[in-house]
Amino acid sequence: MEPTKKYHPDEAANGSIAPDNDSSESGTPENIPSAVYIARQPIFNADGLVHAYELLYRNTEQNISNASSVGDEEATGTVISESILNFGMYELTNGRKAFVNFAEGYLLNKAAYLLDPEQFVIEILENVVFTIEVIDALYTLKAAGFDVALDDYIGTPIPPEILSLIDIIKIDFKDTTKEQRASFSPPLIAAGKTLLAEKVETKEDVLEALNLGCKLLQGYYFSKPVMLKKSSMEISSVSYMKLSRELTAPDINLDNIAWVINSDAHLTYKLLRRMSTLQYYRGNNITSIKRALVLMGNEEIRRWIMLILLRDMSNTKSDELIRTALIRAFMCEKLARESGRHDCAAEAYSTGMLSILADGSRNLEERLNHIQLLPSVRDALSGKDTLLKRLLDIAVCYETGNWNKLEYLMEYSVPELDLKLLPGLYMMSVSAADEMLSKEYS
């Protein structure tokens, strides 16, 4: 346990008692590009001891809140993933609980079940609308043992059925007046709610909060959020090779894939995050990694694995480049089916997906050597004149508007295809790619 530190209202403000300032850096060298960030702000009890920490989204070296730039949903997912996978909960909180802001989507998609109720407090953002679905989700979270906090409370009346689901109410000392706080605090205490005074910045705020009956306090008077930084955790090289080997197998072996994912924390989180989309969770209990894979189905598993591996192989964080790869993949697959080559549709998808590795790449062979590929896919990516290469050429020509070459390919290369079908196939491919990317970040 970390040394406990006490405050006194007469001490200097703004960080005079900030705990653990010596842990704001993790020693990550500055030249590591794949750094991840998180901030934490301590929450004190009325005796001046650290009770918990709030974990806050950060994505740069600057210690500022920029969750609005990525959206509440992504900010929630990032804080959850980085706290569990890259930092580790004990390192972040030293055994104390962590308050994490939950956007509405993360309440509904059951992502909280990835977390330990002994470690986390679900903090509901102020803009969450208490629909029937949200209320049902809160009932389930409470039954699972989670404490629920309401963020940035400014005195808006809370219906009894919702109030019964909330354990902690965070009173916003910045956007409420002293008179307002004196009015709405006593009924909340009478209802058995724990009050947390947040955005406390002065000695007067501290004294008022204690007089109101606030059991917890948080704000710049005690400590500003402390930044932490680490290098990003990637899929292990062993997992990488084993997954790529499974892609070349004629039949999906769920036991093998489940074993690989269970052995890699990064992959486990990625799969469970994908499974947290409502279409997978609705009416299903995810009791194991293998159960999750069964619900996904073989085709979705192959595409998910390929998308993960492609991000590592291309060494890119560009969603637009990944989107291009997905569009090509779906386009090549559809072209194969339209030309009557249903038996090679999966290979066509792989060819289109991996084609971005060949775009201007001087070390294509080196990249392809890192994974196991079917010979037909490797030949197409290496430029050999095969059916898969021709389908890829058609997809790329349509994508880039190379109409002269496209007409030649359609007439002499794959004459079974009808040029008039291409606009519709391309639009369907764009739609499918966007849907898959939206599930990747849901």
Side-chain angles (χ1 to χ4, degrees):
M1 299 290 285
E2 68 183 19
T4 55
K5 303 184 181 183
K6 293 197 174 186
Y7 72 83
H8 188 280
D10 290 330
E11 291 182 280
N14 284 343
S16 60
I17 57 167
D20 304 324
N21 285 331
D22 57 337
S23 64
S24 61
E25 288 293 340
S26 62
T28 303
E30 291 297 325
N31 61 350
I32 293 180
S34 55
V36 294
Y37 307 89
I38 204 168
R40 68 176 194 182
Q41 188 175 28
I43 297 170
F44 292 89
N45 63 24
D47 293 325
L49 304 178
V50 177
H51 172 80
Y53 292 93
E54 181 172 2
L55 303 183
L56 303 165
Y57 175 80
R58 299 290 187 269
N59 65 356
T60 68
E61 295 274 3
Q62 295 179 322
N63 190 3
I64 57 174
S65 176
N66 49 4
S68 60
S69 65
V70 297
D72 292 335
E73 306 290 342
E74 184 172 339
T76 297
T78 299
V79 169
I80 292 173
S81 66
E82 305 305 2
S83 61
I84 295 173
L85 296 179
N86 283 304
F87 290 96
M89 288 306 300
Y90 191 83
E91 179 180 342
L92 282 174
T93 68
N94 290 310
R96 295 173 175 83
K97 282 196 172 184
F99 284 58
V100 174
N101 291 323
F102 262 65
E104 182 174 331
Y106 270 79
L107 292 171
L108 295 177
N109 67 20
K110 301 186 180 180
Y113 296 115
L114 305 177
L115 310 179
D116 182 352
E118 295 298 318
Q119 294 181 323
F120 289 88
V121 174
I122 306 299
E123 187 169 325
I124 306 172
L125 288 172
E126 66 277 8
N127 57 5
V128 169
V129 178
F130 287 94
T131 61
I132 293 175
E133 292 78 11
V134 168
I135 293 173
D136 287 344
L138 291 177
Y139 270 112
T140 307
L141 289 171
K142 292 290 296 177
F146 284 97
D147 286 334
V148 176
L150 181 62
D151 194 23
D152 290 336
Y153 183 68
I154 58 173
T156 305
I158 305 174
E161 65 271 22
I162 296 174
L163 187 62
S164 67
L165 299 171
I166 297 171
D167 304 286
I168 302 165
I169 296 179
K170 301 183 71 174
I171 298 175
D172 190 326
F173 262 59
K174 189 172 183 180
D175 289 337
T176 57
T177 65
K178 188 173 183 178
E179 291 72 25
Q180 288 173 322
R181 296 189 288 269
S183 174
F184 63 65
S185 295
L188 295 174
I189 293 175
K193 305 306 167 185
T194 298
L195 301 188
L196 187 159
E198 65 174 343
K199 303 176 186 176
V200 172
E201 298 184 354
T202 67
K203 178 177 69 175
E204 289 72 22
D205 288 342
V206 173
L207 294 174
E208 180 196 343
L210 295 175
N211 288 332
L212 283 174
C214 294
K215 300 298 184 183
L216 301 172
L217 304 100
Q218 176 185 8
Y220 281 13
Y221 181 83
F222 306 112
S223 173
K224 294 181 179 180
V226 176
M227 281 281 291
L228 295 98
K229 172 184 173 183
K230 271 199 171 183
S231 57
S232 177
M233 187 179 74
E234 303 294 343
I235 301 171
S236 74
S237 58
V238 174
S239 299
Y240 188 88
M241 292 301 296
K242 289 180 177 178
L243 279 182
S244 67
R245 187 179 303 124
E246 292 302 322
L247 283 180
T248 64
D251 298 308
I252 287 287
N253 188 316
L254 294 184
D255 289 322
N256 287 351
I257 296 176
W259 186 88
V260 175
I261 294 173
N262 272 315
S263 303
D264 192 299
H266 191 64
L267 279 173
T268 298
Y269 175 76
K270 278 185 171 291
L271 175 65
L272 292 176
R273 187 172 184 181
R274 169 59 67 87
M275 293 302 301
S276 69
T277 56
L278 285 175
Q279 65 167 340
Y280 290 130
Y281 259 118
R282 189 177 289 115
N284 295 300
N285 292 318
I286 309 302
T287 56
S288 67
I289 294 297
K290 185 174 180 180
R291 171 64 175 162
L293 294 172
V294 169
L295 290 172
M296 287 178 74
N298 289 0
E299 183 178 21
E300 178 76 1
I301 290 170
R302 286 186 185 276
R303 291 177 176 178
W304 175 73
I305 291 175
M306 188 168 293
L307 180 59
I308 289 174
L309 298 182
L310 179 62
R311 286 190 180 278
D312 278 9
M313 283 187 291
S314 61
N315 194 28
T316 180
K317 300 297 182 182
S318 169
D319 287 338
E320 194 56 38
L321 189 59
I322 297 298
R323 182 172 181 268
T324 296
L326 283 169
I327 293 172
R328 289 183 187 177
F330 284 113
M331 186 69 169
C332 287
E333 179 188 57
K334 294 178 187 303
L335 289 172
R337 295 187 187 281
E338 286 295 333
S339 65
R341 273 70 166 212
H342 297 272
D343 58 329
C344 69
E347 296 169 43
Y349 181 94
S350 299
T351 302
M353 188 71 163
L354 298 176
S355 63
I356 63 168
L357 299 178
D359 289 354
S361 176
R362 295 182 179 179
N363 58 344
L364 175 62
E365 288 299 323
E366 180 182 345
R367 288 186 177 186
L368 294 182
N369 286 336
H370 286 301
I371 59 173
Q372 296 194 18
L373 289 175
L374 291 170
S376 57
V377 176
R378 185 180 295 273
D379 288 346
L381 294 174
S382 298
K384 294 184 179 180
D385 185 18
T386 64
L387 173 65
L388 294 180
K389 177 62 165 61
R390 294 174 182 180
L391 296 177
L392 174 61
D393 286 343
I394 291 172
V396 173
C397 283
Y398 190 87
E399 168 195 310
T400 58
N402 190 343
W403 310 122
N404 291 333
K405 184 176 180 180
L406 178 63
E407 290 182 9
Y408 175 85
L409 289 170
M410 295 292 288
E411 184 174 356
Y412 299 105
S413 182
V414 191
E416 300 90 341
L417 289 172
D418 186 348
L419 183 62
K420 295 178 181 178
L421 294 175
L422 294 190
L425 296 178
Y426 186 76
M427 291 307 298
M428 287 189 288
S429 300
V430 170
S431 178
D434 288 342
E435 180 184 0
M436 191 165 187
L437 273 179
S438 70
K439 287 191 291 185
E440 174 72 4
Y441 293 116
S442 58

